[in-house]
Amino acid sequence: MRNVKRLFSLFVAVLAVFSLAACKPKEKIIGTWKMSRTVYQKEKDGDTLIGSREENASLYESEQSYYQFNSDGTAVHHIEDGGGAMDVKGTWKKTDDLSYSYEDEQGMKTQFNYVVSEDALHVDWYSDQEGSDYYYVLFVYARK
């Protein structure tokens, strides 16, 4: 009887070790994300403004567009525009504690930064090209 108890205790201890080893923390990026707002500057030293969907439609994707980041490192950017839809496949990887790089199958690369206080993903975009409508745009994605 004593040997059975020891064997059972050993079994429970081994099971606990394997259970803890399998508990990998879920990456913050995993899930479905939809653009919720934009913040922009027209000029380098200009005012920072919030871009409403109505006044800055060119900065926004459609209401049905989103990113889906999966736990296996794959991703899909679902885009709907003008009555059509397409899914662009890609991959993501963690680049530091709260940053992730995403590359789609067309070679487009994007850096997503997770903001803990907002539970949001941020993408910064800059343009120093002459004649550009915007110098800086911050795209903010919220969980869908």
Side-chain angles (χ1 to χ4, degrees):
M1 182 69 144
R2 206 153 77 175
N3 287 337
V4 172
K5 286 183 182 180
R6 284 184 185 168
L7 189 58
F8 181 73
S9 296
L10 179 62
F11 174 74
V12 169
V14 169
L15 185 62
V17 168
F18 282 113
S19 296
L20 290 175
C23 292
K24 193 167 115 178
K26 181 178 169 185
E27 290 298 333
K28 305 285 190 215
I29 198 170
I30 295 172
T32 304
W33 301 86
K34 183 176 164 182
M35 189 183 305
S36 63
R37 71 179 191 279
T38 61
V39 178
Y40 67 91
Q41 287 178 287
K42 291 229 179 219
E43 295 100 27
K44 186 174 184 174
D45 297 321
D47 293 335
T48 301
L49 305 166
I50 296 176
S52 71
R53 197 174 283 276
E54 295 76 29
E55 296 172 6
N56 303 92
S58 65
L59 295 178
Y60 286 86
E61 298 172 332
S62 77
E63 286 288 327
Q64 286 70 41
S65 297
Y66 59 85
Y67 283 93
Q68 172 67 48
F69 295 99
N70 304 310
S71 60
D72 64 357
T74 63
V76 173
H77 185 189
H78 178 80
I79 305 165
E80 293 189 22
D81 192 22
M86 67 185 223
D87 286 334
V88 180
K89 295 178 181 177
T91 58
W92 66 270
K93 64 181 179 180
K94 189 173 187 171
T95 54
D96 70 33
D97 192 37
L98 296 174
S99 297
Y100 303 88
S101 65
Y102 165 77
E103 184 172 359
D104 70 24
E105 63 192 356
Q106 300 170 347
M108 175 80 105
K109 296 178 181 179
T110 306
Q111 183 72 27
F112 287 90
N113 299 302
Y114 179 75
V115 178
V116 175
S117 61
E118 298 178 31
D119 187 28
L121 294 175
H122 285 193
V123 175
D124 294 297
W125 178 86
Y126 290 90
S127 175
D128 55 0
Q129 294 180 352
E130 191 69 32
S132 179
D133 289 339
Y134 302 96
Y135 165 72
Y136 168 74
V137 181
L138 168 65
F139 298 97
V140 179
Y141 292 83
R143 288 188 191 274
K144 183 175 168 186

